[in-house]
């Protein structure tokens, strides 16, 4: 694969234009770094070159350090000299320290290493609406090309810290106001203006500013320390499991205390340290895994193109239907919602309006945009408008005869190319499509509630779903800004199924005498958005019990049946919506532990009879994490074994997007592989001996434990024939 190159062109006016070529984003690969070095050497040596303009080919400056080479570096465990190309020498000595001035001509993007390079230049001109930022922390590393030093010197500490800690880019207009950019220039004049600017620096008509030596924007030492102290405090609160944001602040501080050069050395030391950390490996894995969910062997490699998608029909304007409709119209897709009577229809449309309204209220959508968006939505009570829909999503209640009727109606009224999707969760898709002829057009569409907010979209294929339909649904998922994952047809599909032991293991721990609030604290501390009991309250016990039943029926060999939910439900404690579940809730829905819970716990424990000698078991925090997540890993292995997902990284993404598993742990399978199958299987075997089948390691896990093969290597070579 072409990994990019750099070109040099010397203009008659004596300006050398150095251009980075590496589509699509001109990322800084090793060949690009080598090319930059070579072309800079040449430009500095040549007598006919007076000044330099640095730019990117096409419509982007540079998207930053090449993330694929980051992976190479991680695999080599830091033992790779290529990394030194980013280092102090090229940027500080050749670009910034050179006698000949450089001007960066920025269009489109200047992110990460791209912006760092631009900051070494003696001036920066940008086209309107370009994005400038240092998003490195998102990948578990810190800016490694001087960003921690030069950005604070150009725009001051508070804003620089904010940009690094949040990874959020700013526009060229904002950058101009902050002083990161010297002028905004229309794209067509960018290069010519930059050339002139560079010559003016040469002639001393414009200042030659060395970012690393600038101090006018820096706060005084005392104030700077106070800003850093506050930033550290916030970071520890917001991301207690991450160390790299703190390391980034350390590098900033060294620069402020001991000067820019000392800061650069500290920065490169920290950069190397972070690069090979588990968090960086996990986050880089997630970066690629997320982009790979749409690539599926045997489906997306057949040369099929998604068919045009303009109109979506939605059957049922309930919670799901209105959420899906909201996601569609927000992304410019016309929607017809069909309901059974005008009251329900109005209620459905009102829900969509309310979804949009909440954006308007947050100041995130103008009234005009609200009007335009809503105009894409139509309600209907019949199928007249379904003659030219491209995709239909059925989202009615879970009643088999009703769904079957709808699908035979749809087959009659919709065009033959139309994709027919069902949001069924508890009913087998094969039954839903039993009565129709065109089974190849049918697939499942599983959104996570609320559908217009949650990013994951599980596309369920049956043994008869044709590849074109999946290609269309993948495209649909992307159009509505979801992360689509294609999964096989099994109870719970990929995410809910993998995580059913999560709730059950937690219930078992409660029955073994562990404090439920402590369990929640430990699991939230691990990085989940909330603990399992708080989640059960949020979802509601009725839903929880209904899905629990699905697994008890589907996987009776490995379930734990606690009495705790039924006991609570007997007294109308149904979770957050009744303001009483495992927690009690005040008007503002703030959760508080409930001393009364004790009596239900005692009863459940005595009914369960699993507590040895009626004494609560003693477990460390780490053991609690293992007790709850190792059975989840075990089920994940079954999901891989049964080819419910076509690759392990899809399940990683699904666990992150669907359950909120922390991205910095890389997803459920990636995390398990970091721990190692051997340890997981041995721990599960101990638990299996004490508590039975719920913990019994499956064949794939045992195989990997015995051979040392990573769990993630269960790749699928023949997906279609297995499902
Ligand atoms: N270098 C960094 O520290 C860093 C970190 C995060 C994001 N980014 C940049 O932010 C931009 C926006 O992110 P997005 O997720 O919205 O973009 P995106 O998903 O639209 O990315 C565009 C395409 O370029 C590829 N790509 C992007 N950056 C790449 C890189 N540096 N190396 C190799 N391939 C790359 C992506 O895989 C994708 O195919 C990207 O262009 C990316 O370069 C940079
Ligand atoms: C507004 O919308 C943008 C993009 O859709 C999002 O990133 C941001 O978080 C939203 N802000 C609020 C306050 O919801
Ligand atoms: C939006 O539509 C409403 C009702 O049709 C109308 O009163 C209002 O003026 C519109 N607002 C804008 C900004 O177009
Ligand atoms: C998955 O779980 C959520 C809540 O936990 C539930 O609302 C949804 O119906 C479940 N879906 C499936 C397919 O089991
Ligand atoms: C399907 O839609 C109905 C109606 O909104 C909803 O009750 C059900 O939970 C949805 N099922 C799934 C799997 O999303």
């Amino acid at each position: 694969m072409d990994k990019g190159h750099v070109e040099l062109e010397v203009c008659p006016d004596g300006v050398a234009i150095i251009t980075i070529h590496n589509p699509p984003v001109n990322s800084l690969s090793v060949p690009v770094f080598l090319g930059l070095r070579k072309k800079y050497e040449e430009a500095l040596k040549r007598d006919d070159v007076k000044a330099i303009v640095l730019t990117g080919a096409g419509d982007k400056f540079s998207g930053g350090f090449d993330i694929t080479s980051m992976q190479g570096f991680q695999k080599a465990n830091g033992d790779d000299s290529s990394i030194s190309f980013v280092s102090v020498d090229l940027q500080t000595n050749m670009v910034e320290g050179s006698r000949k001035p450089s001007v960066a001509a920025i269009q489109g993007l200047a992110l990460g290493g791209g912006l760092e390079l631009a900051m070494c230049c003696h001036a920066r001109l940008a086209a309107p609406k370009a994005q400038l930022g240092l998003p490195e922390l998102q990948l578990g590393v810190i800016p490694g090309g001087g960003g921690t030093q030069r950005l604070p010197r150009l725009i001051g500490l508070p804003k620089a810290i904010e940009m690094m800690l949040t990874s959020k880019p700013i526009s060229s207009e904002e950058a101009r106001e902050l002083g990161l950019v010297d002028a905004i220039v229309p794209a067509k004049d960018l290069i010519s203006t930059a050339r002139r600017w560079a010559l003016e620096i040469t002639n001393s008509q414009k200042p030659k500013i060395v970012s690393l030596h600038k101090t006018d924007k820096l706060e005084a030492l005392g104030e700077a320390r106070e800003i850093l102290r506050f930033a550290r405090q916030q970071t520890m609160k917001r991301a207690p499991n991450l160390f790299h944001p703190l390391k980034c602040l350390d590098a900033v501080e060294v620069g402020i205390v001991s000067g820019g050069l000392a800061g650069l050395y500290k920065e490169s030391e920290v950069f190397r340290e972070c690069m090979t950390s588990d968090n960086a490996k996990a986050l880089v894995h997630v970066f690629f895994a997320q982009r790979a969910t749409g690539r599926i062997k045997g489906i997306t490699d057949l040369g099929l193109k998604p068919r045009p998608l303009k109109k979506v029909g939605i059957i049922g304007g309930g919670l799901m239907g209105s959420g899906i409709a909201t996601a569609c119209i927000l992304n410019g897709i016309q929607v017809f919602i069909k309901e059974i009577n005008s009251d329900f229809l109005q209620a459905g449309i009102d829900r969509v309006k309310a979804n949009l309204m909440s954006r308007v209220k947050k100041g995130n959508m103008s009234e005009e945009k609200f009007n335009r968006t809503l105009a894409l939505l139509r309600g209907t009570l019949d199928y007249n408008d379904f003659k030219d829909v491209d995709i239909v999503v059925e989202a009615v209640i879970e009643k088999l005869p009703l769904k079957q009727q709808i699908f035979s109606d749809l087959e009659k009224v919709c065009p033959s190319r139309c994709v027919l999707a069902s949001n069924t969760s508890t009913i087998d898709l094969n039954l839903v499509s039993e009565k129709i002829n065109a089974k190849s057009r049918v697939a499942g569409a599983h959104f996570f509630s609320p559908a217009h907010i949650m990013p994951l979209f599980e596309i369920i294929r049956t043994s008869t779903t044709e590849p074109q339909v999946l290609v269309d649904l993948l495209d649909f998922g992307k159009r509505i800004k979801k992360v689509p994952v294609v999964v096989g047809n099994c109870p719970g599909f990929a995410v809910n199924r993998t995580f059913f032991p999560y709730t059950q293991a937690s219930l078992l721990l409660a029955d073994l005498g562990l404090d439920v609030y402590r369990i929640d604290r430990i699991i939230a501390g691990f990085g989940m958005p909330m603990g399992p009991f708080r989640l059960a309250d949020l979802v509601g016990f009725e839903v929880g019990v209904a899905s629990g039943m699905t697994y008890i029926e589907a996987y009776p060999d490995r379930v734990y049946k606690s009495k705790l939910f039924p006991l609570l439900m007997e007294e109308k404690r149904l979770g957050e919506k009744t303001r009483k579940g495992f927690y009690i809730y005040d008007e503002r829905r703030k959760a508080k532990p409930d001393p009364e819970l004790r009596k239900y716990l005692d009863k459940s424990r005595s009914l369960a009879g699993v507590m040895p000698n009626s004494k609560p078991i003693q477990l460390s925090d780490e053991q609690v994490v293992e007790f709850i997540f190792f059975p989840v890993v075990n089920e994940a292995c079954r999901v891989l074994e049964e080819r419910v997902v076509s690759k392990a990284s899809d399940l990683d993404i699904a666990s992150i997007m669907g359950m909120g598993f922390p991205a910095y742990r890389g997803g459920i399978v990636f995390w398990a592989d970091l721990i190692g199958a051997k340890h997981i299987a041995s721990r599960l075997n101990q638990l299996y001996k004490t508590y039975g089948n719920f913990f019994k390691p499956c064949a794939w896990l045992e195989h990997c434990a015995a051979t040392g093969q990573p769990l993630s290597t269960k790749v699928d070579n023949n997906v279609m024939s297995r499902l």
Side-chain angles (χ1 to χ4, degrees):
M1 202 174 77
D2 181 19
K3 301 285 276 165
H5 67 279
V6 177
E7 284 174 14
L8 174 126
E9 180 201 347
V10 179
C11 306
D13 57 6
V15 176
I17 301 179
I18 296 185
T19 307
I20 303 168
H21 289 257
N22 193 13
V25 296
N26 294 328
S27 65
L28 306 173
S29 58
V30 173
V32 167
F33 274 118
L34 287 171
L36 276 170
R37 180 181 285 271
K38 213 164 119 226
K39 299 301 176 186
Y40 250 95
E41 266 167 19
E42 185 182 335
L44 298 184
K45 219 176 319 165
R46 277 171 69 156
D47 292 334
D48 57 342
V49 173
K50 290 189 246 171
I52 297 158
V53 166
L54 180 60
T55 194
D59 55 1
K60 295 183 180 74
F61 184 76
S62 169
F65 196 75
D66 175 45
I67 301 168
T68 38
S69 52
M70 227 167 114
Q71 258 183 336
F73 181 73
Q74 288 171 341
K75 284 197 187 106
N77 236 339
D79 232 14
D80 182 342
S81 60
S82 68
I83 208 70
S84 61
F85 293 118
V86 227
S87 71
V88 183
D89 184 45
L90 166 71
Q91 312 212 344
T92 306
N93 297 337
M94 298 181 84
V95 184
E96 188 174 55
S98 142
R99 201 169 36 80
K100 300 180 184 176
S102 289
V103 173
I106 297 169
Q107 69 285 45
L109 297 173
L111 298 174
L115 179 60
E116 293 181 301
L117 208 46
M119 289 192 293
C120 296
C121 294
H122 303 99
R124 282 155 297 284
L125 308 188
K129 305 264 179 290
Q131 301 267 304
L132 294 88
L134 294 179
E136 285 87 343
L137 263 61
Q138 231 178 342
L139 292 177
V141 293
I142 71 162
T148 62
Q149 305 305 309
R150 293 189 181 91
L151 192 61
R153 285 174 162 75
L154 284 165
I155 65 172
L157 208 41
K159 186 68 193 180
I161 289 179
E162 181 200 311
M163 282 177 68
M164 288 188 272
L165 291 182
T166 63
S167 290
K168 277 217 188 92
I170 58 174
S171 66
S172 24
E173 289 75 14
E174 196 182 349
R176 167 80 190 91
E177 260 165 50
L178 291 165
L180 178 55
V181 155
D182 299 282
I184 307 273
V185 180
K188 63 176 178 34
D189 305 328
L190 187 62
I191 297 294
S192 56
T193 313
R195 273 162 63 181
R196 218 172 321 119
W197 199 293
L199 288 172
E200 284 173 6
I201 297 179
T202 314
N203 303 334
S204 306
Q205 287 164 285
K206 282 211 157 59
K208 184 174 177 223
I209 295 167
V210 174
S211 312
L212 199 63
H213 296 166
K214 250 170 87 72
T215 51
D216 57 309
K217 288 278 179 73
L218 280 187
E219 288 69 14
L221 193 55
E223 194 187 334
R225 283 211 158 112
E226 188 52 30
I227 294 167
L228 284 161
R229 194 189 58 80
F230 183 71
R232 284 201 178 92
Q233 217 175 41
Q234 295 294 101
T235 302
M236 282 190 276
K237 224 189 289 163
R238 216 179 22 219
N241 293 335
L242 298 179
F243 76 94
H244 71 283
L246 295 172
K247 290 275 177 181
C248 177
L249 295 171
D250 290 349
V252 172
E253 180 153 23
V254 168
I256 297 214
V257 174
S258 311
L261 204 57
L264 285 182
Y265 285 110
K266 176 71 180 177
E267 180 195 90
S268 64
E269 176 197 317
V270 170
F271 178 76
R272 283 155 186 276
E273 188 184 337
C274 292
M275 179 72 101
T276 49
S277 69
D278 283 349
N279 284 346
K281 285 178 191 161
L283 288 164
V284 170
H285 166 71
V286 169
F287 180 89
F288 289 110
Q290 189 171 337
R291 285 155 177 80
T293 64
R295 290 197 293 271
I296 302 153
K297 238 182 221 166
I299 292 180
T300 56
D301 53 2
L302 304 176
L304 297 167
K305 292 264 174 307
R307 292 174 292 188
L309 167 57
K310 291 208 188 70
K311 240 192 223 185
V312 169
I314 293 173
I315 315 287
L319 215 57
M320 267 301 151
S322 55
I324 301 166
T326 309
C328 291
I329 59 175
L330 275 173
N331 293 288
I333 301 174
Q334 201 182 355
V335 171
F336 286 90
I337 291 190
K338 180 180 176 298
E339 259 296 351
I340 45 173
N341 64 48
S342 50
D343 288 349
F344 285 6
L345 182 57
Q346 194 53 49
I349 291 176
D350 288 345
R351 268 191 282 270
V352 177
K353 276 189 187 163
N355 291 341
L356 296 180
M357 230 355 161
S358 79
R359 290 183 179 234
V360 177
K361 282 194 192 122
K362 278 187 208 137
N364 224 353
M365 182 184 262
S366 68
E367 197 187 314
E368 197 237 323
K369 177 89 196 289
F370 173 89
N371 283 2
R372 255 189 299 131
T373 306
L374 202 60
L376 289 169
L377 179 71
R378 292 258 193 294
T380 174
L381 297 175
D382 55 42
Y383 283 117
N384 289 335
D385 293 307
F386 281 61
K387 281 192 290 288
D388 59 349
V389 290
D390 303 301
I391 291 180
V392 178
V393 182
E394 166 273 309
V396 303
I397 47 168
E398 299 275 278
K399 291 222 173 87
L400 180 59
L402 175 63
K403 289 194 188 248
Q404 286 181 333
Q405 180 60 48
I406 289 172
F407 272 80
S408 30
D409 291 346
L410 288 173
E411 185 172 32
K412 285 185 207 110
V413 298
C414 299
S416 60
R417 64 180 154 80
C418 175
V419 172
L420 307 177
S422 167
N423 91 322
T424 184
S425 53
T426 47
I427 304 173
D428 184 350
L429 258 181
N430 290 317
L431 293 177
V432 171
S433 62
E434 197 173 46
K435 301 251 158 81
I436 73 168
N437 298 316
K439 294 187 178 42
S440 60
R441 293 160 64 186
V442 177
H446 186 221
F447 291 88
F448 290 70
S449 196
H452 59 295
I453 293 175
M454 296 292 285
L456 188 66
F457 173 35
E458 285 182 318
I459 298 168
I460 298 103
R461 63 170 169 198
T462 68
S463 54
T464 47
T465 311
E466 65 182 30
Q468 180 66 56
V469 166
L470 297 170
V471 168
D472 290 347
L473 284 171
L474 283 166
D475 177 57
F476 173 55
K478 279 187 205 133
R479 285 276 298 276
I480 59 174
K481 307 229 169 69
K482 303 283 169 204
V483 177
V485 177
V486 174
V487 303
N489 185 19
C490 68
F493 309 128
V495 175
N496 283 18
R497 172 177 170 182
T498 300
F499 278 85
F500 89 78
Y502 177 70
T503 313
Q504 295 190 351
S506 310
L507 289 167
L508 174 54
L509 277 181
D511 283 346
L512 286 168
L514 236 58
D515 177 31
V516 296
Y517 304 118
R518 178 177 167 229
I519 295 171
D520 269 5
R521 275 196 306 277
I522 294 170
I523 298 303
F526 173 82
M528 297 298 282
M530 62 188 89
F533 296 102
R534 179 69 187 84
L535 179 66
D537 274 5
L538 184 70
V539 170
F541 296 171
E542 284 155 316
V543 173
V545 166
S547 56
M549 277 312 295
T550 311
Y551 305 115
I552 289 171
E553 281 165 24
Y555 315 115
D557 58 313
R558 52 177 191 276
V559 284
Y560 178 69
K561 290 175 254 185
S562 165
K563 292 284 187 305
L564 194 48
F565 279 136
L567 286 170
L568 289 160
M569 287 166 76
E570 268 170 29
E571 306 214 4
K572 300 271 176 297
R573 292 180 79 115
L574 304 179
E576 191 178 319
K577 69 171 181 186
T578 57
R579 294 230 200 129
K580 273 186 180 186
F582 289 103
Y583 296 78
I584 40 176
Y585 297 84
D586 61 20
E587 286 92 77
R588 293 171 55 235
R589 305 234 139 181
K590 197 167 159 39
K592 268 203 317 220
D594 182 3
E596 281 206 7
L597 192 67
R598 182 107 240 134
K599 81 178 185 231
Y600 305 96
L601 287 167
D602 286 343
K603 186 123 186 243
S604 179
R605 281 165 191 165
S606 74
L607 286 169
V610 286
M611 230 198 291
N613 323 316
S614 305
K615 283 229 180 66
I617 54 161
Q618 302 289 321
L619 292 179
S620 68
D621 288 7
E622 192 190 341
Q623 286 171 323
V624 171
V625 166
E626 296 186 347
F627 196 101
I628 290 176
F629 279 109
F630 285 0
V632 175
V633 169
N634 197 19
E635 196 63 27
C637 289
R638 289 193 172 91
V639 164
L640 297 178
E641 261 176 350
E642 293 172 27
R643 316 294 213 254
V644 176
V645 288
S646 60
K647 49 191 178 308
S649 65
D650 285 356
L651 193 52
D652 284 331
I653 291 303
S655 68
I656 292 167
M657 303 287 170
M659 274 302 289
F661 193 85
Y664 58 80
R665 296 190 192 276
I668 188 73
V669 185
F670 189 91
W671 175 70
D673 273 332
L674 280 179
I675 295 171
K678 195 161 171 228
H679 174 72
I680 296 172
S682 111
R683 185 84 187 104
L684 281 172
N685 272 315
Q686 286 166 6
L687 292 166
Y688 164 49
K689 284 192 197 105
T690 319
Y691 303 108
N693 253 337
F694 180 75
F695 293 98
K696 189 168 193 247
C698 71
W700 177 239
L701 184 58
E702 288 285 25
H703 168 84
C704 293
T707 60
Q709 203 179 334
L711 297 167
S712 65
T713 52
K714 192 95 204 168
V715 287
D716 204 348
N717 297 315
N718 200 358
V719 181
M720 288 310 278
S721 68
R722 297 291 295 262
L723 274 169

